[in-house]
Amino acid sequence: QVQLVESGGGLVQAGGSLRLSCAVSGSIFSSNVMSWHRQAPGKQRELVATITSGGKTTYVDSVKGRFTISRDNAKNTLYLQMNSLKPEDTAVYYCKVSSGLQTYWGQGTQVTVSS
């Protein structure tokens, strides 16, 4: 059974930084895509960043230059380094793994940025 557990969320002032982690347990294909998504109150969940098993990354325009997605394949862990945080980054952040035909989600971690 595959499980994803996020950590690292919290309350931070605007301009601050946080690092989210997503630990993946269970069996997944070595070729997969990992991603971070977020959902703000009253809004739809949106894709924030993706990274392939080969290290190719993509970002939504609103976080380019501020967020960095990375992964440690040996540890089966996904990261999201978030710098220069803004109040509009406030949301529940979720990690996702797409492996073969399967998709797995974490339970989410709250990020709150105060102005």
Side-chain angles (χ1 to χ4, degrees):
Q1 183 178 359
V2 176
Q3 289 188 321
L4 282 63
V5 179
E6 298 105 333
S7 60
L11 173 63
V12 64
Q13 288 188 332
S17 298
L18 283 174
R19 189 193 195 204
L20 305 183
S21 298
C22 174
V24 181
S25 61
S27 179
I28 59 174
F29 289 112
S30 58
S31 176
N32 56 67
V33 177
M34 305 179 95
S35 54
W36 288 99
H37 302 250
R38 65 185 180 187
Q39 187 166 19
K43 295 187 177 182
Q44 289 189 329
R45 191 174 298 189
E46 67 167 346
L47 174 64
V48 175
T50 66
I51 185 167
T52 67
S53 50
K56 182 177 180 181
T57 60
T58 64
Y59 298 91
V60 67
D61 285 346
S62 60
V63 308
K64 284 181 180 177
R66 301 189 298 121
F67 290 11
T68 302
I69 189 171
S70 62
R71 59 191 288 169
D72 185 331
N73 291 330
K75 295 182 178 180
N76 266 357
T77 302
L78 175 69
Y79 304 99
L80 186 67
Q81 178 67 43
M82 305 186 294
N83 299 328
S84 302
L85 282 161
K86 304 175 181 180
E88 51 263 43
D89 294 318
T90 295
V92 177
Y93 283 71
Y94 300 88
C95 61
K96 185 180 89 169
V97 173
S98 298
S99 175
L101 297 178
Q102 302 296 319
T103 298
Y104 306 96
W105 288 91
Q107 83 287 350
T109 185
Q110 177 71 46
V111 171
T112 303
V113 184
S114 63
S115 56

